[in-house]
Amino acid sequence: MNEQTQPQRKPVILSGMQPTSVLMLGNMIGALRNWVYLQENYECFFCVVDMHAITVRQVPAELRKRTLDVAATYLAAGVDPNVSTVFVQSHVPEHAELAWVLNCYTGFGEAGRMTQFKDKSEQHSDNITVGLFTYPVLMAADILLYQADLVPVGEDQKQHLELTRDLANRFNHLYSPTFTVPEPYIPQSGGRIMSLQEPTKKMSKSDSNQNSTIFLTDTDDVIRNKVKRAVTDSGTDIRYDSENRPGVSNLIEMYSIVTGTSVADVEKQFEGKGYGDFKAAVGDAVADYIRPVRTRFDEIRADVPTLTKILKEGAEKAQHTARRTVRKVYKKVGFWQPEDK
Ligand code: TYM
């Protein structure tokens, strides 16, 4: 084929979410909404990262259920399985294979510097596993297997992306170009949605206080109530200042994103109004934003045969690409293959 007839390779995206709970507003705003709009111009792989989930203890039946919940949420948010490859991480064993190799190229101190490991080992101090420690290496394997150019994530994943880039560069320099060095794609606004109850902490799907987090399965009334009860700061006006007034600033950011209004326009719109009026408007706007996702989720989640078919086909497609990378890597590190003789 000459250059003119060769089809242009679309740049590749990989991203994933842990099925530790149903997804929440931070996952949607920080990552999932970007997946949906990027999928037209990229070749996308979106996985449900169940292998990451077991780095902290899970109830097996719950994990199975959440895996399907998360896959259904991807589709409900607008990920199109005819355009993007949607699959479950543990269905493609190459993730574990590459993770092992990369573990052998990661410094102990390097892994120890990961802030998410430090945070999570504090949260789970009774059960700090080696898996939790090497979690970012598995994440690097997820990304590098597909030769991803871009990784759309929230801000909390930035450090893991830097490690991924370091590992890719290290391997490429030690041997020869093997991995694409990926770039993170973190939204300027909404990369870090904060907890409604403790606005200096990020909103998390595994927060023990349910009122801190707006789940994508919450009903309109539950959403409105959670927003109404959100902790705000002393002061009365609706003004963005994330440093000194994290509570109201978080609500302003959420409102700005879900309504597509700039922060300056939100401030103008609510000039002279109090927290009560503002919270009611935020509650309504977030409920409007989540409602269509929840409705589609209920439909998609009810049709398990279709969901199963999508995930099976997705895993086959993903494995095709993943296998190619593992084969290349095995050769470079010196694993003997029968065809070597
Ligand atoms: P996870 O499951 O914690 O979160 C999924 C995605 O949601 C983003 N996110 C947020 N964005 C804004 N505000 C928040 N409060 C918020 N909370 C979470 C996360 O940044 C993420 O993009 N390690 C990853 C999963 C993973 C992965 C990967 C991601 C495993 N392998 C490969 C990308 C590529 C994680 O725990 O995400």
Side-chain angles (χ1 to χ4, degrees), residues 113-285:
R113 281 195 291 278
M114 297 293 114
T115 55
Q116 198 173 58
F117 169 69
K118 290 184 196 158
D119 293 349
K120 286 210 175 175
S121 44
E122 261 170 42
Q123 272 169 36
H124 302 275
S125 55
D126 53 333
N127 184 33
I128 306 172
T129 65
V130 176
L132 190 61
F133 186 67
T134 62
Y135 166 118
V137 182
L138 177 59
M139 177 164 164
D142 300 340
I143 297 165
L144 300 180
L145 271 179
Y146 300 93
Q147 307 291 350
D149 297 277
L150 204 65
V151 184
V153 281
E155 215 171 271
D156 60 338
Q157 299 302 316
K158 199 169 165 191
Q159 199 187 25
H160 294 162
L161 254 297
E162 275 156 21
L163 176 72
T164 306
R165 289 170 55 84
D166 287 347
L167 290 177
N169 278 319
R170 186 172 307 157
F171 200 94
N172 290 348
H173 287 133
L174 259 174
Y175 301 104
S176 54
T178 309
F179 296 123
T180 302
V181 182
E183 294 284 340
Y185 182 97
I186 298 169
Q188 278 201 328
S189 167
R192 191 176 176 81
I193 296 295
M194 308 310 271
S195 151
L196 295 180
Q197 290 300 313
E198 285 173 81
T200 49
K201 251 179 52 183
K202 67 170 183 168
M203 186 180 280
S204 160
K205 45 176 139 62
S206 36
D207 201 308
S208 54
N209 182 350
Q210 294 263 314
N211 286 325
S212 296
T213 306
I214 297 176
F215 292 98
L216 299 181
T217 46
D218 283 345
T219 61
D220 290 2
D221 282 345
V222 169
I223 294 169
R224 289 193 192 101
N225 272 323
K226 284 184 178 176
V227 174
K228 204 193 284 172
R229 282 200 228 133
V231 169
T232 34
D233 325 273
S234 57
T236 50
D237 52 338
I238 312 304
R239 196 166 37 79
Y240 188 88
D241 175 357
S242 59
E243 204 138 291
N244 300 310
R245 306 175 71 199
V248 76
S249 300
N250 188 37
L251 295 181
I252 292 175
E253 191 162 345
M254 274 164 41
Y255 185 82
S256 149
I257 291 164
V258 302
T259 59
T261 318
S262 71
V263 166
D265 283 346
V266 178
E267 288 176 337
K268 232 182 268 158
Q269 193 182 330
F270 289 94
E271 217 175 304
K273 300 227 168 87
Y275 282 164
D277 286 341
F278 180 55
K279 282 180 172 179
V282 176
D284 287 340

Side-chain angles (χ1 to χ4, degrees), residues 1-2 43 46 81 85-86 128 136 186 219 246 249 255 268 285 288-289 330 336:
M1 249 193 271
N2 66 32
E43 183 185 352
F46 296 125
T85 305
V86 181
I128 306 172
I186 298 169
T219 61
S249 300
Y255 185 82
K268 232 182 268 158
D288 288 346
Y289 183 72
Y330 278 7
W336 177 82

